[in-house]
Amino acid sequence: MGAALRQARAACRNGEVPIGAIVVVSGRVIGRGANRPVAARDPTAHAEVVALRRAARKTRDYRLGGATLYVTLEPCLMCLGAMVHARIHRLVYGARDPKIGATRLLRQSRAARLNHRFQVTGDVRAEECASLLRDFFREKRRVRNADARRRDAPS
């Protein structure tokens, strides 16, 4: 999770929501991803998808059986779908995402119909992962409010 947190910090330095991911096989990192939808102008450029794409390029195979994906925030439905298609072995995430986190869908009875399932471990270094996100959004609000006060100030 430490390597995923480093990716999240890199995303933050680039003005992106601080989410990071890594793909590991046999103890080796084969894919890294920092959140980059703003820079890439791509709504699918989530950290998980970026890491999966890089891992697939490195292995020359989109199937990543035996891989563990570490990500700092509970994945959304799109990213879970990518993990199913990649046939990862395990997902490890940090902070829960109560708004769009989708891992609970895997535990529901309809998930039994999926053509691939994987192990899920959550809340790993959760406070550290959540703190990065809270600090990022707190700073965004502070800057936005300061800008609004400047605009509203008498000339």
Side-chain angles (χ1 to χ4, degrees), residues 84 87-89 106 111-119:
V84 168
R87 305 292 196 268
I88 67 161
H89 175 71
L106 293 176
R113 294 186 198 162
L114 290 175
N115 60 342
H116 175 73
R117 287 182 235 128
F118 47 86
Q119 298 171 15

Side-chain angles (χ1 to χ4, degrees), residues 85-97:
H85 287 291
R87 305 292 196 268
I88 67 161
H89 175 71
R90 183 173 178 221
L91 163 67
V92 178
Y93 69 87
R96 291 178 190 256
D97 185 342

Side-chain angles (χ1 to χ4, degrees), residues 74-140:
E74 179 184 8
C76 70
L77 190 55
M78 175 189 71
C79 292
L80 280 176
M83 291 174 217
V84 168
H85 287 291
R87 305 292 196 268
I88 67 161
H89 175 71
R90 183 173 178 221
L91 163 67
V92 178
Y93 69 87
R96 291 178 190 256
D97 185 342
K99 291 182 181 176
I100 62 168
T103 59
R104 67 187 166 280
L105 297 174
L106 293 176
R107 291 186 293 273
Q108 294 174 350
S109 61
R110 291 189 183 265
R113 294 186 198 162
L114 290 175
N115 60 342
H116 175 73
R117 287 182 235 128
F118 47 86
Q119 298 171 15
V120 177
T121 304
D123 300 321
V124 175
R125 295 176 71 172
E127 183 49 40
E128 191 175 355
C129 295
S131 177
L132 259 179
L133 289 158
R134 275 193 307 270
D135 293 349
F136 175 82
F137 287 112
R138 184 179 302 125
E139 178 63 14
K140 285 281 189 194

Side-chain angles (χ1 to χ4, degrees), residues 55-68:
R57 274 196 299 274
K58 185 166 190 152
T59 62
R60 297 180 180 189
D61 192 351
Y62 76 99
R63 298 284 170 98
L64 300 170
T68 299

Side-chain angles (χ1 to χ4, degrees), residues 36-74:
R36 53 185 324 264
V38 175
R41 294 180 181 92
D42 178 357
T44 70
H46 291 194
E48 301 94 310
V49 172
V50 172
L52 289 169
R53 286 176 179 157
R54 289 179 176 162
R57 274 196 299 274
K58 185 166 190 152
T59 62
R60 297 180 180 189
D61 192 351
Y62 76 99
R63 298 284 170 98
L64 300 170
T68 299
L69 188 140
Y70 294 84
V71 62
T72 58
L73 183 66
E74 179 184 8

